[in-house]
Amino acid sequence: MRERPLRGGAVLQECPTCGHLRRDLTSAPAGHREHAYGGEPTLDRIRLGLTYSALRRASPRPSSVFEIGYGAGGLLRRFHDDGAEIGGADPDQLEVDVDPVVRSEGRLWRAPVEQLAEHDIATDLVYGIHVLEHVVDPARTLQVTFDLLRPGGVAQFLTPAGDSTGSRWYGDAWWMLEDPTHIRFFTADSLARLAHAAGFVDVHVRRPVLDSVVTDVASLARVVAREPRPAGALSSRPVLALGAASTPFVVGARLAHRRMRPTLQLVARRPGHA
């Protein structure tokens, strides 16, 4: 690994081969907020709908799903209401209440997914939404994901793009560094390598246009106002209003410039037939 200095004084560690970025709070505190969750409920509901649509496009009719890092269970509830069996693992990092239907109907573990290797689980779709950037051993996470899937099953992960323009444009004010539990950022290359190493085939890494649409505005807010924000940039109503107003321009810019898209979506399949 080599040092990757950012504007503002933070330093990340970068793999010279695949561009993967590692971060610790000692060398890259980056004005982080106090809590892992720094979203906004209305934006979260919109994002949940967009994410569900993206997952279904790559996995149209899964009969069973398993979510790594299910949080409040909003996505699992969508799959449940569409007739799928649901399950998941979450160490409760976000400290949020779980949907009561998901809690009663789902097969849930309050633990990291790596602890489930010995359990009898076989499912059509395993996914994680902004979870890989938090884990200490992503290779192990992908291997367990592979083992949870039936032959022919699909894995999907969304994670911040370390090869997007964000860190280069905004330096340590990049909004993805606001979360103190973000310890790594993948590139398209490093994410594909990880999936291939776990045994997956038909590996595709996409760059969704509509994920994290307020990232640029939140990053700019952190550039302009350097005072501590314990609750995060999105706790500010003016930032939220500017984010909503700028969405059409942000989407247009992302359509024209792929590297402005702050998220990677991994879609990969376990070999074999269900």
mmCIF file of all heavy atoms in Angstrom, residues 95-111:
data_model
loop_
_atom_site.group_PDB
_atom_site.id
_atom_site.type_symbol
_atom_site.label_atom_id
_atom_site.label_comp_id
_atom_site.label_asym_id
_atom_site.label_seq_id
_atom_site.Cartn_x
_atom_site.Cartn_y
_atom_site.Cartn_z
ATOM 1 N N GLU A 95 -28.046 0.923 15.109
ATOM 2 C CA GLU A 95 -28.866 1.078 16.304
ATOM 3 C C GLU A 95 -30.244 1.649 15.966
ATOM 4 O O GLU A 95 -30.694 2.645 16.534
ATOM 5 C CB GLU A 95 -28.152 1.967 17.325
ATOM 6 C CG GLU A 95 -26.812 1.406 17.777
ATOM 7 C CD GLU A 95 -26.063 2.337 18.729
ATOM 8 O OE1 GLU A 95 -26.595 3.432 19.028
ATOM 9 O OE2 GLU A 95 -24.954 1.980 19.135
ATOM 10 N N VAL A 96 -30.927 1.005 15.021
ATOM 11 C CA VAL A 96 -32.262 1.446 14.611
ATOM 12 C C VAL A 96 -33.266 0.337 14.882
ATOM 13 O O VAL A 96 -32.914 -0.838 14.999
ATOM 14 C CB VAL A 96 -32.289 1.819 13.110
ATOM 15 C CG1 VAL A 96 -31.458 3.060 12.854
ATOM 16 C CG2 VAL A 96 -31.793 0.658 12.247
ATOM 17 N N ASP A 97 -34.547 0.716 14.988
ATOM 18 C CA ASP A 97 -35.612 -0.256 15.220
ATOM 19 C C ASP A 97 -35.904 -1.037 13.936
ATOM 20 O O ASP A 97 -35.937 -0.476 12.850
ATOM 21 C CB ASP A 97 -36.880 0.451 15.679
ATOM 22 C CG ASP A 97 -36.730 1.075 17.064
ATOM 23 O OD1 ASP A 97 -35.936 0.547 17.858
ATOM 24 O OD2 ASP A 97 -37.395 2.095 17.327
ATOM 25 N N VAL A 98 -36.129 -2.336 14.080
ATOM 26 C CA VAL A 98 -36.390 -3.202 12.938
ATOM 27 C C VAL A 98 -37.886 -3.270 12.670
ATOM 28 O O VAL A 98 -38.699 -3.338 13.601
ATOM 29 C CB VAL A 98 -35.816 -4.613 13.189
ATOM 30 C CG1 VAL A 98 -36.104 -5.540 12.005
ATOM 31 C CG2 VAL A 98 -34.319 -4.541 13.462
ATOM 32 N N ASP A 99 -38.263 -3.250 11.408
ATOM 33 C CA ASP A 99 -39.656 -3.388 10.994
ATOM 34 C C ASP A 99 -40.280 -4.592 11.703
ATOM 35 O O ASP A 99 -39.715 -5.682 11.685
ATOM 36 C CB ASP A 99 -39.708 -3.582 9.478
ATOM 37 C CG ASP A 99 -41.121 -3.715 8.944
ATOM 38 O OD1 ASP A 99 -41.698 -4.811 9.104
ATOM 39 O OD2 ASP A 99 -41.617 -2.745 8.366
ATOM 40 N N PRO A 100 -41.453 -4.432 12.335
ATOM 41 C CA PRO A 100 -42.033 -5.534 13.118
ATOM 42 C C PRO A 100 -42.368 -6.769 12.288
ATOM 43 O O PRO A 100 -42.247 -7.895 12.780
ATOM 44 C CB PRO A 100 -43.293 -4.914 13.733
ATOM 45 C CG PRO A 100 -43.575 -3.684 12.933
ATOM 46 C CD PRO A 100 -42.253 -3.197 12.446
ATOM 47 N N VAL A 101 -42.797 -6.590 11.038
ATOM 48 C CA VAL A 101 -43.081 -7.747 10.184
ATOM 49 C C VAL A 101 -41.795 -8.494 9.856
ATOM 50 O O VAL A 101 -41.757 -9.730 9.898
ATOM 51 C CB VAL A 101 -43.806 -7.308 8.897
ATOM 52 C CG1 VAL A 101 -43.947 -8.480 7.924
ATOM 53 C CG2 VAL A 101 -45.168 -6.729 9.227
ATOM 54 N N VAL A 102 -40.758 -7.768 9.553
ATOM 55 C CA VAL A 102 -39.465 -8.400 9.269
ATOM 56 C C VAL A 102 -38.957 -9.128 10.505
ATOM 57 O O VAL A 102 -38.448 -10.260 10.412
ATOM 58 C CB VAL A 102 -38.445 -7.339 8.808
ATOM 59 C CG1 VAL A 102 -37.034 -7.939 8.711
ATOM 60 C CG2 VAL A 102 -38.863 -6.742 7.471
ATOM 61 N N ARG A 103 -39.128 -8.505 11.661
ATOM 62 C CA ARG A 103 -38.659 -9.123 12.906
ATOM 63 C C ARG A 103 -39.400 -10.415 13.204
ATOM 64 O O ARG A 103 -38.820 -11.396 13.667
ATOM 65 C CB ARG A 103 -38.816 -8.134 14.058
ATOM 66 C CG ARG A 103 -38.135 -8.576 15.350
ATOM 67 C CD ARG A 103 -38.090 -7.472 16.378
ATOM 68 N NE ARG A 103 -39.403 -6.938 16.680
ATOM 69 C CZ ARG A 103 -39.782 -5.684 16.444
ATOM 70 N NH1 ARG A 103 -38.956 -4.844 15.867
ATOM 71 N NH2 ARG A 103 -40.994 -5.271 16.763
ATOM 72 N N SER A 104 -40.698 -10.458 12.893
ATOM 73 C CA SER A 104 -41.486 -11.644 13.219
ATOM 74 C C SER A 104 -41.410 -12.723 12.138
ATOM 75 O O SER A 104 -41.488 -13.914 12.442
ATOM 76 C CB SER A 104 -42.949 -11.259 13.466
ATOM 77 O OG SER A 104 -43.535 -10.725 12.301
ATOM 78 N N GLU A 105 -41.276 -12.328 10.877
ATOM 79 C CA GLU A 105 -41.328 -13.278 9.778
ATOM 80 C C GLU A 105 -39.954 -13.678 9.239
ATOM 81 O O GLU A 105 -39.824 -14.713 8.578
ATOM 82 C CB GLU A 105 -42.156 -12.702 8.625
ATOM 83 C CG GLU A 105 -43.587 -12.373 8.987
ATOM 84 C CD GLU A 105 -44.396 -13.610 9.310
ATOM 85 O OE1 GLU A 105 -44.095 -14.679 8.747
ATOM 86 O OE2 GLU A 105 -45.334 -13.511 10.138
ATOM 87 N N GLY A 106 -38.952 -12.868 9.502
ATOM 88 C CA GLY A 106 -37.641 -13.134 8.932
ATOM 89 C C GLY A 106 -36.781 -14.039 9.792
ATOM 90 O O GLY A 106 -36.986 -14.152 11.005
ATOM 91 N N ARG A 107 -35.833 -14.681 9.149
ATOM 92 C CA ARG A 107 -34.829 -15.470 9.854
ATOM 93 C C ARG A 107 -33.612 -14.574 10.033
ATOM 94 O O ARG A 107 -32.794 -14.412 9.134
ATOM 95 C CB ARG A 107 -34.480 -16.710 9.023
ATOM 96 C CG ARG A 107 -33.651 -17.746 9.761
ATOM 97 C CD ARG A 107 -33.371 -18.947 8.866
ATOM 98 N NE ARG A 107 -32.597 -19.951 9.573
ATOM 99 C CZ ARG A 107 -32.037 -20.997 8.997
ATOM 100 N NH1 ARG A 107 -32.153 -21.180 7.686
ATOM 101 N NH2 ARG A 107 -31.351 -21.864 9.713
ATOM 102 N N LEU A 108 -33.509 -13.962 11.210
ATOM 103 C CA LEU A 108 -32.559 -12.891 11.447
ATOM 104 C C LEU A 108 -31.512 -13.276 12.485
ATOM 105 O O LEU A 108 -31.804 -13.998 13.438
ATOM 106 C CB LEU A 108 -33.284 -11.626 11.918
ATOM 107 C CG LEU A 108 -34.414 -11.102 11.025
ATOM 108 C CD1 LEU A 108 -35.031 -9.862 11.657
ATOM 109 C CD2 LEU A 108 -33.926 -10.801 9.621
ATOM 110 N N TRP A 109 -30.314 -12.741 12.280
ATOM 111 C CA TRP A 109 -29.229 -12.904 13.245
ATOM 112 C C TRP A 109 -28.674 -11.532 13.588
ATOM 113 O O TRP A 109 -28.383 -10.730 12.686
ATOM 114 C CB TRP A 109 -28.103 -13.758 12.665
ATOM 115 C CG TRP A 109 -28.388 -15.219 12.603
ATOM 116 C CD1 TRP A 109 -28.071 -16.166 13.532
ATOM 117 C CD2 TRP A 109 -29.053 -15.925 11.544
ATOM 118 N NE1 TRP A 109 -28.497 -17.406 13.121
ATOM 119 C CE2 TRP A 109 -29.111 -17.289 11.909
ATOM 120 C CE3 TRP A 109 -29.620 -15.542 10.325
ATOM 121 C CZ2 TRP A 109 -29.684 -18.262 11.103
ATOM 122 C CZ3 TRP A 109 -30.200 -16.497 9.521
ATOM 123 C CH2 TRP A 109 -30.233 -17.836 9.902
ATOM 124 N N ARG A 110 -28.565 -11.239 14.880
ATOM 125 C CA ARG A 110 -27.927 -10.000 15.330
ATOM 126 C C ARG A 110 -26.437 -10.271 15.483
ATOM 127 O O ARG A 110 -25.898 -10.317 16.594
ATOM 128 C CB ARG A 110 -28.532 -9.548 16.660
ATOM 129 C CG ARG A 110 -29.907 -8.956 16.532
ATOM 130 C CD ARG A 110 -29.831 -7.543 15.969
ATOM 131 N NE ARG A 110 -31.131 -6.872 16.000
ATOM 132 C CZ ARG A 110 -31.338 -5.647 15.569
ATOM 133 N NH1 ARG A 110 -30.344 -4.959 15.077
ATOM 134 N NH2 ARG A 110 -32.545 -5.111 15.610
ATOM 135 N N ALA A 111 -25.770 -10.447 14.366
ATOM 136 C CA ALA A 111 -24.360 -10.814 14.371
ATOM 137 C C ALA A 111 -23.781 -10.534 12.997
ATOM 138 O O ALA A 111 -24.520 -10.449 11.999
ATOM 139 C CB ALA A 111 -24.197 -12.294 14.711
#
